[in-house]
Amino acid sequence: MPGADAPLPVLETDVAIIGSGGAGLMCALHAAAADPRLSITIVSKGAVGRSGCTRMVQGGFNAVLGEGDSLESHFRDTLEGGHYLNDQELAWTLVNEAPRVIQELEEQFGCLFDRTATGELDLKPFGGQSFDRTVHRADQTGLEIMSRLRDQVFRIGARELEDWRALDLLFDQHGELSGLTVLDTRSGQAAVMLARVVVVATGGSATMYRIAAPAREKTGDGVAMCYRAGLELRDMEMLQFHPTGLVAGTSALTGTVLEEGLRGAGAQLRNRLGERYMERVDPERLERSTRDVVARASYTEIVEGRGTPAGGVLLDISHLGAAEVERRFGEMAARTRLIGADLAVGPVEVSPTAHFHMGGVVIDPDCLTSVHGLLVAGEDSGGTHGANRLGGNGVAESTVFGARAGETAAAIIGGRGLYMPEPELVAASVERAYAPLRREGGQPPFALTDRLKDTMWVHCGLVRTREGLLQAREQLAELAKESSRVAVAGPRDANPAWQQAIDLESQLTVARLIVESALVREESRGAHFRADFPERDDESWLRAIVVERGRDGEPELTTRPVELTRLATGGRMLEQA
Amino acid sequence: MTALAVEIERSDSEARRHFTVEVGEPTMVLDVLLALQRTDASLAFRYSCRVAMCGTCTIRVDGRPVLACRTPVLLGADGLLLEPLAGLPVVRDLIVDTTPFSTAWRSVEPWFTPRADAEPRVLAADDPSREAIESGLDCISCGACWTACDLAGAEHRFLGPAALNRAMTLAADARDGARDRRLRLVSQEGGVTRCHYIHGCSGACPKGIDPAASIRRLRRWSIGAGR
Ligand SMILES: Cc1cc2nc3c(=O)[nH]c(=O)nc-3n(C[C@H](O)[C@H](O)[C@H](O)COP(=O)(O)OP(=O)(O)OC[C@H]3O[C@@H](n4cnc5c(N)ncnc54)[C@H](O)[C@@H]3O)c2cc1C
Ligand code: FES
């Protein structure tokens, strides 16, 4: 492979931020604010500020700002929604800092959120919440937030490596974090980046499912690279399905999300027989129930034969009147018209869609991990949302913890030097990335990616059983074997097929950890539903499943009791020391 | 399913240009590209969100700059011609280097600057500046307007519609403290006076923004502000 064996270029920086979503850009801005002299490098697999899911946030951002609302209430909703699997200190940090971040976004960065005629923030209702607290800008909230953060990043003048992907974390011979390997996907050139502090913010992954919502880049790279580096991951079995993904045949529009606010505003779900099945499943909250409940209800309708021929159920908000739907959900309506339906005037076919990974790297409220100098923020981290994330808590998480990571980075950098990475680590990482280009005779990754998505959808999706999971385990092992024969003919510059081959490796790693964790959890909680253990079992399972890479390279799983530091199950607030 | 002939402008003159693809309903141009990638794995194109939010899938379809993810393929059409955006250097196949676009954007100092002199103020639903700001929000930096504008795309002597539209949304914002400075910036050579109101940009914007109207507003204000 031309150039691959020549000495690699070496870049240096104080803070290397991997990912340019809400967490990555907030991190950059807060690190720069804390210490303007820091050199900051943003490594972004897609366009800076225009890749990832923060930008795709339609619905909005939960923060306690309305009169009569309280932090305690938001906290309680978050834990109830998370079925008490949450790391309560992370959840509390989220709830406590979300209002300040909204204020910063508006007053410092100029975001324009919807307000009422009297000037108050227009707070909309979302699923699973006891109070209307979702800040938004129509149905384009993430676009407004990310565009304004992106503009601010121009101001601080960070080094931006756009269309560069991070490959692996690097360590020196004593195990000190020294930086990472990176790949410029436009030129195909790999490089070593030495960094005092590395922040992983690649936005997790939920892309290894047949029907899925997230952006292309989100293939679990950050989580997989942390796993390979020996960090602990938690709650990997907790993968959220959004109840209302579009059904659009073979188009890539399939799985894209019709936003949560629709159900908040009174949209109804019906099966093919016209039956409003949420009346059966959750008569009190109906469609405004939490995502896990609604998604599983729809899934059950579909697999039990009460869905539409195309495999969906019907979402209808037309009773609001076309003009009102247009005003409040214009982009959603426009999208449905592309596929020959129209949300403004009638029902639209939807299916649950893989959406968000609650699981991820174990962090503390300052985004610190067990590796000195390595921080993780946003969807790559685990624990904040427990077994199910509330709509509107995702962008809150990425911005709140992104900001904290930036501050932490500035605070700890004094104690960190630049360390020379072990050459074998560099070589192995680069070799792995280039391998598909160097192989001959194999196939491109597409068919394997499809099979991975089918396996996960069928055997490790909304309803799981031991048998199904064992099948998934077997199929993933076979896929892993076959993936080591994937070959892409080149060229190496700007080659999406090659990049997808690298993506597949991360996706397979994460998928395996999801399956292994799902096998261990013999109960049902939040997003994780075991048909063979359909009840939640607090007695035995108020525990997080933690996985790390064992000495033999195989996943090692343990469980750890959830610490009820602030709120007991059943909702009793505990005294704070 | 119907067969559709597709021609793609490739960087490598040896690479395959002509394809036939089976399309059903609904099919976006992005779906066509994803299908063709399986026939020819070396095909280079860019996308991320699939839902008109990231602005990275912009290409020319039958000569018009559009978002591939937002452009349905008409069944029964004669064929499709797919080309990279004009006015930007080609990286490979349908991928272009958007640096000139972002350099222009950056040069209007697109970041909000809170006013130092006043309490932060809020814009109520009926605040007059909201209408102007909102008319220009939701730009996804897709570059369609850049390509559609001869002065920006072809000649690179103009800041271009998107950057000026962004400047307008800031100048309209009573909360922003850098209005005078920004109005001076956009009044320089290559700024608002360069626009000849051919309206190529407004016709091309996939988000329904009217950058020509934004530029007109901005020009009015910049005259008012004096140089
Ligand atoms: C369609 C959709 C709608 C949503 N709606 C809502 C909502 O209404 N409210 C809400 O609260 N949450 C919502 N969410 C969830 C929310 O988007 C996420 O919780 C959050 O934005 C994740 O932020 P992040 O910064 O961690 O990652 P992201 O914003 O996803 O950013 C990830 C970044 O990492 C980069 N990256 C990935 N891999 C690499 C690599 N190897 N090297 C370098 N860079 C890499 C990507 O290019 C991207 O820049 C939604 C999600 C989706 C998919
Ligand atoms: S893929 Fe994002 S705008 Fe088309």
Side-chain angles (χ1 to χ4, degrees), chain A residues 235-503:
Chain A
D235 305 338
M236 292 298 282
E237 72 281 18
M238 296 302 175
L239 193 293
Q240 178 169 77
F241 291 81
H242 194 290
T244 53
L246 202 59
V247 173
T250 54
S251 172
L253 281 167
T254 288
T256 60
V257 166
L258 293 180
E259 71 132 311
E260 179 104 351
L262 290 163
R263 284 184 295 123
Q268 302 182 354
L269 284 164
R270 290 179 196 278
N271 62 23
R272 178 169 47 88
L273 311 170
E275 197 191 349
R276 193 173 171 194
Y277 50 87
M278 287 310 295
E279 286 174 347
R280 238 189 298 122
V281 178
D282 188 347
E284 206 169 305
R285 294 183 295 180
L286 295 164
E287 285 83 359
R288 280 184 64 178
S289 187
T290 49
R291 286 180 175 172
D292 49 344
V293 175
V294 183
R296 198 154 43 246
S298 301
Y299 179 81
T300 307
E301 293 304 304
I302 296 165
V303 294
E304 290 184 356
R306 294 185 297 276
T308 61
V313 288
L314 298 165
L315 178 78
D316 193 355
I317 193 155
S318 57
H319 59 272
L320 287 191
E324 185 65 5
V325 177
E326 232 27 273
R327 188 181 69 78
R328 287 165 67 181
F329 304 106
E331 160 58 24
M332 302 297 105
R335 196 182 305 162
T336 59
R337 278 192 291 274
L338 284 176
I339 63 162
D342 191 346
L343 191 65
V345 299
V348 173
E349 266 183 84
V350 296
S351 155
T353 181
H355 183 61
F356 180 90
H357 201 174
M358 277 74 73
V361 183
V362 173
I363 61 165
D364 80 353
D366 293 319
C367 302
L368 292 167
T369 67
S370 55
V371 170
H372 193 38
L374 180 66
L375 310 180
V376 176
E379 197 174 333
D380 279 341
S381 69
T384 306
H385 311 289
N388 172 57
R389 173 173 71 77
L390 292 185
N393 271 359
V395 58
E397 175 191 40
S398 59
T399 50
V400 162
F401 287 97
R404 288 183 79 89
E407 281 150 22
T408 303
I412 65 171
I413 206 147
R416 300 266 315 149
L418 287 180
Y419 306 92
M420 287 318 284
E422 289 237 78
E424 301 81 73
L425 287 179
V426 176
S429 169
V430 173
E431 166 55 31
R432 218 164 42 80
Y434 280 118
L437 281 180
R438 288 177 171 158
R439 282 186 205 119
E440 276 168 27
Q443 292 296 314
F446 311 119
L448 293 187
T449 306
D450 288 350
R451 276 167 54 199
L452 166 64
K453 290 176 176 226
D454 283 339
T455 294
M456 293 302 280
W457 183 257
V458 174
H459 296 304
C460 193
L462 291 108
V463 175
R464 302 164 175 178
T465 61
R466 181 175 162 79
E467 266 155 50
L469 292 167
L470 288 174
Q471 285 202 32
R473 176 192 270 170
E474 214 169 286
Q475 290 172 12
L476 290 181
E478 173 59 26
L479 284 168
K481 221 182 294 159
E482 291 183 45
S483 79
S484 65
R485 296 195 288 270
V486 163
V488 177
R492 72 172 200 170
D493 56 316
N495 188 333
W498 174 31
Q499 296 311 312
Q500 189 170 326
I502 304 176
D503 295 343

Side-chain angles (χ1 to χ4, degrees), chain B residues 24-48:
Chain B
E25 194 121 46
T27 300
M28 304 300 130
V29 172
L30 176 62
D31 299 320
V32 170
L33 291 171
L34 289 167
L36 291 181
Q37 189 188 27
R38 299 190 171 212
T39 311
D40 180 347
S42 72
L43 181 62
F45 58 98
R46 202 170 183 221
Y47 79 99
S48 167

